[in-house]
Amino acid sequence: MQETLDFQNLGISSRILTTLKKMKISTPTPIQQKCIPVGLEGKDIMGIAQTGTGKTLAFVIPLVQQLDHLPGRSLVLLPTRELALQAAETFHQIGTPFNLKIAVLIGGESMHRQIQELKRQPRIIVATPGRLLDHLKQNLIHLKDIKILVLDEADRMLDMGFAPQLNQIMRSVPKERQTLLFSATMPDSIVKLATTYMSLPVRLEVAPAGTTAAEIEQEIFIIQQESKLSLLEKLLQQYRGTVLVFSRTKFGAKKITSILRALGHNTAEIHANRSQSQRREAMNGFRSGKYRVMVATDIAARGIDVSNIEVVINFDLPDKSEDYVHRIGRTGRAGKKGLAISFATPGQRREIHIIERLIKKNLTISQLPELPPLKDGTPFQPPSLRAASAPSGRQFVKSRRSRLSRIRSRP
């Protein structure tokens, strides 16, 4: 049982305590209770905690406080643009009283703007591995003065194929430094990374790998693929709060978004085919309430940090069972209650069992509600969308004639 109940007992400076009070953050989470004091001592950390447990503050607070009296800079690496922007926002909030300049180096953004940020000599660099290497290769940045290195969502970075980039970056930073590594899981690849590049790290774990938040109620519907849209519409009528919907593919996310918009739901989408400005607009709109529904692929499973998401809906089960934990961790955050609903087809019993073994609990199979009837076995779609997607007979004939004419005119 943790004895520490508030931030004042963790060795945090008064300026940061005042900022936390303004942010209305009063009680540290278990990972924060364990990591902050050790981080302030300058020790290397392997922090293991399920998603949604407050890992960002667990490294932001000791990093900012140490940079206030240490020379040099800090480098924070994250797997996705969304996570990098969210971490940078937290650094801005906590670091404002210390006048610490921050540079964000991520793909999809202007290199020129990032170069200008680097010229201002930032003390904190938040980056994704690929874009950081772009700057290194062009000699736009050096890492010889890095005193604190943070690897956040390290398992995700390796899953995304960033191991070669991480190895290059690790060889570019000084050997004498503090390293804070955070991960939701601890596969052998992470252990190897820690053994190679860290100095006697303190392992701090608040939940076994694969553990889901206790406050998340989980249920699953066994349903035919063509009926999923009907069930989704039914659930969106039943739950009126903020809803995050996960699709397995970019095409699926786009299709679901189009249908939900046609049904009158304020819906945003986020996936790899969206530009950085489109992703930012979607995220900001989702946070502000402009969009009640967000449809996303697994690119956002760990990249969405929005308070009070009422329901996470897995329209498709994830390809990797570990991603189930990260997806549903977008609700029930910081001790709040949440609901996760998954759709599975009758042929996915094996995938369900794999997820259940990972989370060490049985998923509640719920009875299907009465759904809108389907016509001729076709998937449920609003009339406006069906009319827009299906060409009329006259349009079809005209299109066919046009194609034949082009073919005949070829030399």
Side-chain angles (χ1 to χ4, degrees), residues 52-72:
T53 54
K55 286 181 288 183
T56 303
L57 273 182
F59 65 77
V60 167
I61 289 175
L63 189 155
V64 168
Q65 186 162 323
Q66 289 196 88
L67 282 185
D68 188 42
H69 59 80
L70 278 178

Side-chain angles (χ1 to χ4, degrees), residues 288-306:
S288 67
K290 176 183 177 181
Y291 302 116
R292 182 173 80 92
V293 183
M294 171 78 84
V295 182
T297 56
D298 281 314
I299 191 174
R302 302 196 204 184
I304 292 180
D305 186 11
V306 178

Side-chain angles (χ1 to χ4, degrees), residues 15-16 19 22 64 68 91-100:
R15 281 186 287 177
I16 293 180
T19 301
K22 291 180 181 177
V64 168
D68 188 42
F91 273 115
H92 280 296
Q93 292 171 318
I94 300 296
T96 296
F98 300 86
N99 295 317
L100 294 174

Side-chain angles (χ1 to χ4, degrees), residues 146-256:
I146 297 298
K147 299 297 184 183
I148 305 173
L149 172 66
V150 177
L151 303 174
D152 193 20
E153 303 284 3
D155 53 346
R156 183 67 168 172
M157 282 195 278
L158 294 183
D159 286 344
M160 294 173 66
F162 283 131
Q165 292 91 331
L166 286 177
N167 286 322
Q168 290 184 58
I169 293 167
M170 298 299 271
R171 290 193 293 267
S172 300
V173 297
K175 291 184 178 180
E176 295 297 322
R177 64 174 191 276
Q178 180 184 14
T179 304
L180 310 179
L181 182 151
F182 291 87
S183 180
T185 59
M186 194 53 58
D188 292 341
S189 55
I190 295 294
V191 175
K192 181 180 179 181
L193 185 70
T195 303
T196 305
Y197 296 110
M198 299 178 73
S199 175
L200 300 174
V202 179
R203 179 169 173 148
L204 302 173
E205 185 172 2
V206 298
T211 303
T212 55
E215 297 301 320
I216 301 177
E217 179 184 348
Q218 302 171 63
E219 61 178 303
I220 191 164
F221 289 99
I222 307 299
I223 185 170
Q224 297 294 335
Q225 182 71 30
E226 62 268 18
S227 298
K228 284 184 177 182
L229 287 166
S230 300
L231 180 57
L232 178 59
E233 167 64 5
K234 185 83 172 182
L235 293 174
L236 290 178
Q237 296 294 339
Q238 180 179 350
Y239 299 102
R240 305 306 299 176
T242 305
V243 179
L244 176 59
V245 180
F246 278 106
S247 167
R248 187 172 57 83
T249 66
K250 296 175 287 186
F251 173 79
K254 187 175 182 62
K255 178 181 177 182
I256 294 167

